[in-house]
Amino acid sequence: MVMALSTIIKSHQILYKSTKAIKLNSIFIVSYRNLFFSSYQQRPICTKHQNDNFLSSDQINISNAFISILIRQPFSPNNPELQNLVPLLTHKVVEAVVNNLRSWRIAHLFFTWASNQRGYKHDIYTYNAMASILSRARQNALLKALALDVVNSHCSMNPGALGFLIRCLGSVGLVDEANNLFDQVKRSGICIPNSYSYNCLLEALSKSGLIDLVEIRLKEMRSLGLELDKYTLTPVLQVYCNAGKFDKALSVFNEIFERGWLDEHVFSILVVSFSKWGEVDKAIELIDSMEECNVRLNEKTFFVLIHGFVRVSRMDKAICLFDKMRQLGFFPSVSLFDVMIGGLCKCNDLEKALSLYSEMKELGIGTDIGILTKLISSFSKGGELDRLLEECWEDMNSQTKNLLCNSVLEGLVRSGSIDIAYDLLQAIMGYSSNGDSVIVKYFRDEKEIITLNTNSFTFVINGLLDAGKLDLALTLFREMVQFGCNQTVLLYNNLIDGLCKLDRLEESYELLREMKEVGLEPTQFTHNCIFGCLCRREDVEGALDFLRKMRFYGHEPWVKHSTLLVKDLCKHGKAVEACKFLTDMVQEGFLPDIITYSAAMNGLIKIKSVDEGLELFQLICTRGYCPDVISYNIVIKALCKSQRVAEAEHLLNEMMLKGLVPSVVTYNYLIDGWCKNGEIDQAMLCLSKMFGKEREANVITYATLVDGLCNLGRPDDALKLWNEMGRKGCAPNRIAYHALINGLCKCEMVDGGNLPDPLDKNFLIIRDAICKLSEDARTSSSIKDLIAEGRIPDVSLDMHRPTI
DNA sequence: GTAGGGTTAG
């Protein structure tokens, strides 16, 4: 065998070159490892895996031979070199090869190839080696297949091996597979699971939150007389904690306690859960009792807990833990100070934040610019920035002061103190400023060391723009150049945007011209600010001209602007012009979208005719647009309003066939159409079909139907529906009340003296509606008129009105 | 340092 292998290995060029006249001994491994390190970045063989320790030198060499073939791409199962090695395939070799290939893909190809070789069959160790690699690579599908393979192969396994496989499955969430595999091997007698196997399964089930299964398995363990240990109960505790099952978690915790298994991990699970449940006090109590048990939280748990407390703004407890942590001898990191100071700033406990900052300095932790920035933005909010500066100014070198300057500017702007920011900038620029802020004084005294940069100006200019101080922003923009700061595209954009929003179009053009002159390329945003302004002005020709210029830059006009233009034109009765604009846009190569066309359709319908709207609808369909629910709604509405409900129904079917889900608006239009068409039954049928769907009927649906029913002289049904509306939890509004009272008046129920008995529920409804309408300023006068005319009763006289 | 525009009842 040694001879045969020697021949094979010698046939490999790589090995031959690197190993020269090699013998089958450990020298080969060393040189081979070097080879991989240098040229293949391969993990060295025979170091990481326990199993490798037991490999004979033959086995090592065979594994190496396989690997050297496998890492040469591409892998081919019919490679004669591989075939030559088949007689040497053993479980140990397969395991070593799989474990030492860097690529899980190649490992799996090899693993599959091996399973197809005559005379070779995987055992649980090769399966597990592969499973472990697949789980680390998160190859769930392959891992699932492997688990099935294990079961079907009936390969024997001990409880430990079963546990290992279960953990592989569990770690990638294949918990059903783990559970099934467990049962299958147990049932078939392949393996008799022991406590360890069960513990592995419990851990997997717990991680996936499967409480029921955890309970079943635990019971199973108890009934089998298996010994429970710490590792059995810990996942049980975890699953209860994660599910918020407070009592059960506590009872498991107590069992762990009674059995003397309490450790740091168990404590941490419960403490972290308490904090997640918001039971901050209980968490603290538990930490105290841990001390009695001589168990310490570790640093990571402290960190998690403090973070958690800060997140829910329980700074008192966070401070408590922070102190405790330090009492226990942990040295808080700068990131923990960051979290604590950040939390205190958020809660506006600036006093404490500042004192923590001092402590941090005393501990010799350097000034952190992130922490200072947090402090600065809070202190500037509280107007006490000077106190902070007093505290930290002396600790800062000129570089830090310089860095801090922009943070101060940013903090001031962000906290809304744009005036102070502006004063500060002016002071550093050497201009006199009106402001007398202490912050300004600090920096003004050291203005020589402060180098302003583009960011300094950007913060303040943007702040001024947000505050609506466009002209001040423009002045600063002009001045920044003298301080050697470059004007940027961002600044030009923001200023142009500001000008356009104020309809100062000429100045925008001026800035646009200027930015091009200084070699800054306008962006889509720049152009669209101006395009939007032209659209808002309803300047169709201007917009089209500008759009042609934009095309030169390859910039697309934002369709929201075109839509706005179309909508505004339609609003002013210029639907035809709107359509012309769209046609021109298309000719320029810019295609409107379905929303723009919907706006145009709606306009055409309003101003011209239903048919012209429909025509546009058909046209865009033939051009490949897919109308959405709203575009269908627009045409359905048009058809319903003009008594062409059958056509509307046809469109409803069409949209549903396309997979569109009609909205409540769609149904409301149709319901109104049917009501007006005298097809009230159809309308009521529609209502009944809307129940239980996502498109639940709303107050408009009911008001429409109430109106419809009253118009058909069915006041009793209208009142019935009104009751139903209340039962469904749909609150009536002013329009609905109006529809009811008006409707009832129309069918002479109210003024005809046919009111229900005052003790009747319907009477109360009517009275309530009249009250509501009387209370509303928009309807009170017309209600008064109706009362004066004697058409409806004056309910204000009714002093004994029971509440409904 | 980049959005959000089109459709309901009396």
Side-chain angles (χ1 to χ4, degrees):
Chain A
M1 194 233 212
V2 168
M3 285 307 292
L5 184 61
S6 169
T7 327
I8 292 161
I9 290 176
K10 277 181 186 164
S11 71
H12 289 296
Q13 220 184 355
I14 312 171
L15 298 184
Y16 191 74
K17 266 194 210 155
S18 64
T19 57
K20 297 263 163 72
I22 209 159
K23 285 183 187 161
L24 295 176
N25 56 30
S26 58
I27 298 169
F28 171 75
I29 300 173
V30 173
S31 53
Y32 197 70
R33 185 185 297 177
N34 290 341
L35 170 79
F36 277 128
F37 267 137
S38 56
S39 54
Y40 291 93
Q41 291 295 302
Q42 183 74 17
R43 208 162 46 205
I45 195 167
C46 311
T47 54
K48 291 203 171 160
H49 299 276
Q50 220 182 0
N51 180 58
D52 295 351
N53 295 339
F54 305 109
L55 290 184
S56 66
S57 57
D58 273 4
Q59 288 167 328
I60 292 170
N61 290 332
I62 299 165
S63 310
N64 285 338
F66 269 114
I67 290 171
S68 80
I69 300 168
L70 293 167
I71 60 175
R72 275 184 281 147
Q73 301 290 339
F75 170 84
S76 159
N78 299 322
N79 182 342
E81 288 175 309
L82 277 180
Q83 295 300 328
N84 285 339
L85 289 171
V86 170
L88 305 177
L89 266 183
T90 63
H91 293 134
K92 293 246 171 182
V93 166
V94 169
E95 208 184 328
V97 171
V98 164
N99 279 336
N100 288 287
L101 281 165
R102 175 155 285 220
S103 150
W104 66 264
R105 274 176 217 281
I106 300 179
H108 190 254
L109 282 171
F110 167 74
F111 181 84
T112 311
W113 172 84
S115 51
N116 292 328
Q117 302 312 310
R118 277 175 76 91
Y120 176 83
K121 192 167 176 283
H122 288 308
D123 68 357
I124 191 63
Y125 295 102
T126 60
Y127 274 122
N128 276 352
M130 193 67 240
S132 164
I133 284 161
L134 290 175
S135 78
R136 264 178 281 145
R138 309 203 76 79
Q139 293 303 312
N140 288 21
L142 294 177
L143 192 54
K144 219 164 134 173
L146 183 141
L148 281 178
D149 235 28
V150 171
V151 175
N152 293 334
S153 72
H154 291 281
C155 81
S156 67
M157 64 182 83
N158 56 32
L162 171 62
F164 186 93
L165 185 54
I166 294 286
R167 286 170 60 196
C168 289
L169 292 165
S171 76
V172 294
L174 290 174
V175 64
D176 285 336
E177 286 75 6
N179 200 41
N180 290 339
L181 179 114
F182 191 91
D183 273 337
Q184 279 162 334
V185 298
K186 191 169 146 227
R187 208 179 309 124
S188 63
I190 288 174
C191 175
I192 301 165
N194 64 8
S195 292
Y196 173 74
S197 328
Y198 268 97
N199 289 351
C200 294
L201 182 61
L202 285 173
E203 206 181 293
L205 297 171
S206 164
K207 248 179 72 174
S208 294
L210 300 169
I211 292 193
D212 293 347
L213 287 179
V214 167
E215 286 177 341
I216 290 171
R217 292 297 182 181
L218 187 65
K219 220 166 128 190
E220 206 171 289
M221 278 182 89
R222 291 191 208 261
S223 71
L224 287 169
L226 288 172
E227 199 185 336
L228 308 190
D229 63 17
K230 183 158 84 175
Y231 301 99
T232 318
L233 294 184
T234 307
V236 180
L237 174 69
Q238 183 86 66
V239 79
Y240 286 141
C241 280
N242 287 346
K245 304 260 179 199
F246 185 74
D247 293 337
K248 289 193 169 179
L250 268 189
S251 116
V252 176
F253 182 81
N254 286 335
E255 188 173 348
I256 294 176
F257 174 72
E258 279 157 21
R259 291 176 185 246
W261 294 334
L262 265 190
D263 65 8
E264 187 185 297
H265 181 53
V266 170
F267 262 123
S268 299
I269 292 174
L270 197 60
V271 172
V272 169
S273 299
F274 276 138
S275 101
K276 265 197 247 165
W277 299 335
E279 299 276 359
V280 175
D281 300 313
K282 283 210 176 70
I284 297 284
E285 212 175 290
L286 193 61
I287 293 165
D288 290 338
S289 62
M290 282 174 72
E291 277 162 22
E292 287 162 26
C293 300
N294 254 342
V295 179
R296 281 166 42 138
L297 285 178
N298 62 28
E299 202 172 349
K300 197 180 152 198
T301 310
F302 268 116
F303 195 76
V304 169
L305 288 171
I306 291 175
H307 256 278
F309 291 159
V310 169
R311 208 173 25 242
V312 295
S313 297
R314 286 298 303 265
M315 286 315 295
D316 53 334
K317 296 302 170 189
I319 290 166
C320 180
L321 265 191
F322 187 73
D323 292 341
K324 200 173 280 285
M325 181 180 176
R326 288 161 68 184
Q327 282 161 21
L328 288 171
F330 289 113
F331 189 80
S333 59
V334 66
S335 63
L336 207 48
F337 272 107
D338 193 358
V339 170
M340 288 293 297
I341 292 177
L344 289 165
C345 286
K346 217 173 91 191
C347 299
N348 244 343
D349 191 348
L350 303 185
E351 219 48 64
K352 186 77 193 160
L354 201 56
S355 93
L356 218 51
Y357 174 76
S358 309
E359 278 179 52
M360 186 181 131
K361 280 195 313 190
E362 279 161 27
L363 286 171
I365 300 175
T367 310
D368 181 275
I369 196 81
I371 295 180
L372 273 175
T373 308
K374 279 197 184 91
L375 285 165
I376 282 165
S377 32
S378 309
F379 274 76
S380 51
K381 217 185 308 170
E384 292 186 287
L385 190 52
D386 48 322
R387 278 192 54 217
L388 174 69
L389 290 176
E390 195 181 334
E391 172 72 27
C392 65
W393 195 254
E394 293 309 315
D395 313 320
M396 289 192 280
N397 55 30
S398 47
Q399 199 194 352
T400 316
K401 283 175 188 165
N402 209 347
L403 270 174
L404 198 61
C405 174
N406 275 359
S407 299
V408 170
L409 286 173
E410 192 186 6
L412 287 168
V413 169
R414 220 181 3 204
S415 61
S417 307
I418 178 63
D419 294 334
I420 300 178
Y422 180 73
D423 284 343
L424 178 55
L425 187 61
Q426 293 283 99
I428 300 170
M429 285 162 80
Y431 298 160
S432 65
S433 61
N434 308 323
D436 202 19
S437 153
V438 183
I439 312 159
V440 178
K441 279 185 197 147
Y442 271 104
F443 281 95
R444 185 168 47 208
D445 292 345
E446 311 223 16
K447 63 171 180 277
E448 287 73 28
I449 64 150
I450 308 285
T451 318
L452 291 173
N453 58 22
T454 301
N455 278 342
S456 330
F457 285 95
T458 304
F459 291 135
V460 179
I461 292 177
N462 286 342
L464 289 170
L465 285 171
D466 286 341
K469 303 185 173 180
L470 176 61
D471 290 302
L472 221 44
L474 279 168
T475 312
L476 211 47
F477 179 70
R478 296 290 173 218
E479 288 167 348
M480 67 187 285
V481 192
Q482 297 154 29
F483 291 85
C485 301
N486 291 329
Q487 295 165 326
T488 57
V489 173
L490 171 69
L491 281 174
Y492 270 107
N493 279 357
N494 288 348
L495 288 164
I496 290 177
D497 187 33
L499 286 167
C500 285
K501 279 185 182 144
L502 292 175
D503 202 34
R504 287 161 65 169
L505 192 56
E506 285 313 314
E507 289 160 272
S508 305
Y509 279 133
E510 180 58 38
L511 277 188
L512 177 64
R513 225 178 350 258
E514 192 184 300
M515 77 185 281
K516 285 194 257 185
E517 270 168 27
V518 299
L520 293 175
E521 184 94 341
T523 66
Q524 292 238 10
F525 184 86
T526 330
H527 282 141
N528 269 297
C529 292
I530 296 176
F531 179 68
C533 187
L534 291 163
C535 287
R536 274 192 299 275
R537 288 180 168 203
E538 285 181 51
D539 180 354
V540 180
E541 280 316 307
L544 281 169
D545 275 347
F546 197 75
L547 183 145
R548 291 183 190 109
K549 285 185 191 132
M550 288 175 73
R551 200 184 46 187
F552 175 77
Y553 285 86
H555 290 166
E556 186 106 6
W558 287 343
V559 72
K560 74 161 175 180
H561 292 140
S562 316
T563 306
L564 184 80
L565 177 56
V566 167
K567 197 188 170 188
D568 284 348
L569 287 170
C570 289
K571 199 162 70 188
H572 298 123
K574 299 180 188 163
V576 179
E577 284 91 329
C579 290
K580 169 80 168 48
F581 168 70
L582 292 184
T583 313
D584 290 342
M585 249 183 80
V586 173
Q587 276 199 336
E588 295 300 329
F590 296 121
L591 299 182
D593 65 8
I594 188 69
I595 300 184
T596 325
Y597 278 122
S598 298
M601 260 158 41
N602 201 34
L604 275 181
I605 288 166
K606 263 191 220 155
I607 291 139
K608 303 285 282 185
S609 65
V610 179
D611 287 316
E612 286 194 40
L614 277 175
E615 220 170 272
L616 181 56
F617 183 79
Q618 304 296 356
L619 180 74
I620 59 170
C621 287
T622 58
R623 288 200 190 149
Y625 282 88
C626 291
D628 60 7
V629 175
I630 298 186
S631 20
Y632 267 105
N633 285 351
I634 290 169
V635 284
I636 286 175
K637 170 186 72 171
L639 290 168
C640 288
K641 297 272 179 218
S642 48
Q643 273 83 49
R644 290 159 67 174
V645 192
E647 286 167 75
E649 282 177 60
H650 176 75
L651 281 181
L652 176 74
N653 290 332
E654 184 183 296
M655 70 187 280
M656 292 195 340
L657 279 174
K658 285 185 186 169
L660 292 172
V661 183
S663 66
V664 65
V665 180
T666 323
Y667 291 122
N668 287 349
Y669 285 136
L670 282 158
I671 285 176
D672 192 45
W674 283 314
C675 285
K676 304 260 156 68
N677 226 20
E679 298 176 70
I680 189 77
D681 294 338
Q682 189 68 35
M684 292 297 284
L685 184 68
C686 183
L687 175 74
S688 67
K689 282 185 187 161
M690 286 167 79
F691 288 134
K693 282 197 193 167
E694 290 168 31
R695 315 287 152 173
E696 202 76 64
N698 60 18
V699 65
I700 301 177
T701 322
Y702 286 107
T704 308
L705 280 163
V706 164
D707 184 57
L709 286 166
C710 288
N711 283 336
L712 288 172
R714 288 163 61 174
D716 295 326
D717 289 333
L719 282 164
K720 225 164 102 187
L721 195 65
W722 189 273
N723 279 322
E724 185 186 308
M725 173 173 79
R727 278 201 305 277
K728 298 276 179 196
C730 179
N733 58 14
R734 179 177 54 86
I735 300 175
Y737 282 123
H738 193 260
L740 179 71
I741 293 301
N742 248 18
L744 294 179
C745 280
K746 269 188 271 184
C747 41
E748 298 179 4
M749 182 174 203
V750 180
D751 56 348
N754 298 324
L755 276 183
D757 183 89
L759 294 174
D760 191 298
K761 196 177 175 204
N762 287 340
F763 179 79
L764 300 179
I765 290 175
I766 294 164
R767 201 182 49 190
D768 181 49
I770 295 172
C771 277
K772 286 281 171 6
L773 291 169
S774 309
E775 287 160 8
D776 193 305
R778 288 163 295 186
T779 43
S780 58
S781 70
S782 66
I783 285 295
K784 255 184 213 152
D785 292 345
L786 286 173
I787 293 172
E789 289 166 23
R791 299 191 66 189
I792 54 174
D794 182 1
V795 290
S796 64
L797 297 175
D798 186 355
M799 303 301 285
H800 307 288
R801 178 159 62 106
T803 43
I804 296 170

